[in-house]
Amino acid sequence: MKKLLLLLFIHFALIFSTSAQIEKKRVLESAGKIVVALKDRDFKKISEFVNPVKGLWFAPFALDMSLKKNVSKSRLAKMIADKRKYYWAKPPTKEQEYTVKMSFAEYYEKFLFNFDYQKSDSITFNDSRIVLNSRISPNKEIRKAFPKGVFVEYLIDAEESNGTSFFLVFQNYRSKSYLVCLTQIDKSSAHYIF
C-alpha cells in the first residue's frame, strides 16, 4: 500500500512539474512576442494576449503597484492614436507628490518602450534581478498586487539605461495565462517612490 501511495505521489508530482514547465515556456514565449509587438507598436497584436475580463493594467512604477491605470482589451489597439491625456498613476494628493499624466503615445515612450527590451541583458521568470536595496523589492510589490500571477523581467543593466527592468505580469483565466500588467523600474527612480 505504501509503495502504491508513493508511486501515485511521484506520478502526480511529475505531472505537476511538467505542467508548470510547460506553462513557464508558454509565458516566456508570450512575453517575447509581446516585446516584439511593443517595439513595433502593434497594440492589436498585444491585445491578443490581454485578459479578456480584467484588461491590461499599466503601472509606471513597479515599486508602487497601487499607481496604475486599466485599459480594456478592446480599447488597447486604439490607444496609440489617442491624443487625450490620462492619469497613468493616481492624481496628486497632499500625501503623494508624484503623478503621471500624459497621452498613451507619451506613456509608451517614457514607460513602455524607452529601451529595446529585445536586447536585454537577462530575462527571468518569476524573479527580479534588478538590485535596488534591501527594503525595495519589485518581486514583493508585483506579488502583492497580483498574488496569483507570474511575471517575466527584462533587465537592461547598461549604463545608459541606469539599470532598468521591464515586467510583464500574467495571470491564469480559464486555464490560459493572459497578460494583466506592464510595469517597469529603474535604479535611479527607486528613491522617488519611498
Side-chain angles (χ1 to χ4, degrees):
M1 183 67 162
K2 283 185 179 182
K3 282 186 177 183
L4 179 62
L5 288 174
L6 180 62
L7 287 173
L8 283 172
F9 174 77
I10 292 170
H11 175 74
F12 287 113
L14 286 172
I15 289 172
F16 177 75
S17 175
T18 303
S19 295
Q21 290 301 320
I22 290 169
E23 188 60 23
K24 177 181 176 180
K25 182 180 176 189
R26 284 184 188 148
V27 166
L28 286 167
E29 286 174 359
S30 293
K33 291 175 183 176
I34 292 165
V35 167
V36 169
L38 272 172
K39 183 177 183 177
D40 296 340
R41 294 177 172 235
D42 187 351
F43 290 94
K44 184 176 181 184
K45 179 71 175 170
I46 294 167
S47 69
E48 295 172 11
F49 295 93
V50 172
N51 185 298
V53 175
K54 293 185 178 184
L56 180 59
W57 290 98
F58 292 92
F61 310 108
L63 297 178
D64 191 346
M65 295 297 285
S66 66
L67 306 173
K68 57 187 184 276
K69 177 173 181 50
N70 186 268
V71 175
S72 70
K73 177 178 178 157
S74 61
R75 192 159 169 237
L76 181 62
K78 303 169 193 147
M79 288 295 290
I80 198 71
D82 190 346
K83 303 292 184 212
R84 288 179 288 182
K85 299 210 183 261
Y86 295 94
Y87 282 107
W88 297 94
K90 290 180 183 176
T93 64
K94 289 183 181 181
E95 300 85 37
Q96 189 175 317
E97 297 176 11
Y98 55 91
T99 189
V100 177
K101 185 179 181 184
M102 56 185 62
S103 70
F104 186 77
E106 292 168 324
Y107 185 88
Y108 171 88
E109 294 295 331
K110 184 165 174 102
F111 293 104
L112 286 182
F113 216 78
N114 46 342
F115 297 101
D116 186 352
Y117 293 105
Q118 289 179 294
K119 298 177 182 173
S120 293
D121 296 309
S122 74
I123 300 169
T124 58
F125 178 79
N126 234 17
D127 186 33
S128 176
R129 298 282 187 238
I130 193 164
V131 177
L132 301 168
N133 68 43
S134 61
R135 66 187 184 103
I136 299 174
S137 168
N139 285 332
K140 183 173 81 174
E141 293 303 317
I142 292 171
R143 287 193 176 102
K144 186 167 71 173
F146 300 97
K148 294 180 181 178
V150 296
F151 63 87
V152 177
E153 176 194 43
Y154 284 76
L155 171 66
I156 295 183
D157 213 11
E159 193 173 310
E160 67 274 5
S161 78
N162 213 7
T164 298
S165 281
F166 181 67
F167 300 93
L168 299 93
V169 184
F170 295 81
Q171 277 186 328
N172 255 354
Y173 174 71
R174 295 190 176 167
S175 302
K176 184 178 176 190
S177 290
Y178 286 98
L179 181 66
V180 292
C181 184
L182 296 173
T183 188
Q184 61 106 33
I185 189 68
D186 70 64
K187 290 177 185 177
S188 69
S189 66
H191 69 278
Y192 294 115
I193 308 297
F194 295 96

